[in-house]
Amino acid sequence: MSRSLNKVMLIGNVGADPDMRSTPSGMRMAKVSLATSRQFNDRSGQQQEKTEWHRLTFWDKLAEVVEKYVKKGDRLYVEGRIEYSTTGEGDAMKYWTDINVREMVMLGGGSGAGGGEGGRSSSSDWGTPAGGRASSGGGARRGGGGGGAPFDADDDDLPF
């Protein structure tokens, strides 16, 4: 049996406030640009920096978390899958590469709610970013019974 994998992991800074939209069926969608940078020495030994821009798409409850908490300049860790699409015809054909995000972690260093908190945000945690986990499906739920995380961070009965 052969397997395949389409997984992307990025850490970068949000380039602009999220662009929120709704599908005709009412599902929420957020579009965000994310910048990743790398530094290297060119052939002459000069230090160079190259920035790549990534188009991220968040869906449903995760999009609502993005709308509420993510702002320009925030540092994010995202996991998702690459999707390619085209628009137009002939010479007007445009090619797009999108990252369909399944999980997000808000890291410190930005100007929004993610700054300094280092929390995970989650659609499965009812939109609470600080200490919550962000994923578009399944995932552990806080304070819920059955099938939850191994322990609840808010549990006061921990022995230590």
Side-chain angles (χ1 to χ4, degrees), residues 46-98:
Q46 296 287 338
Q47 180 130 5
Q48 301 290 323
E49 183 174 12
K50 180 159 175 63
T51 300
E52 303 285 349
W53 288 93
H54 310 275
R55 295 167 32 116
L56 308 180
T57 304
F58 299 84
W59 293 96
D60 205 21
K61 294 197 183 282
L62 192 53
E64 293 171 13
V65 171
V66 168
E67 178 180 31
K68 194 170 184 180
Y69 297 106
V70 174
K71 303 289 183 245
K72 178 181 178 177
D74 284 349
R75 192 153 178 82
L76 299 179
Y77 166 82
V78 296
E79 287 184 21
R81 68 181 183 275
I82 295 177
E83 292 187 354
Y84 301 101
S85 59
T86 58
T87 58
E89 292 182 17
D91 292 338
M93 185 78 89
K94 291 185 180 182
Y95 298 89
W96 303 102
T97 302
D98 284 297

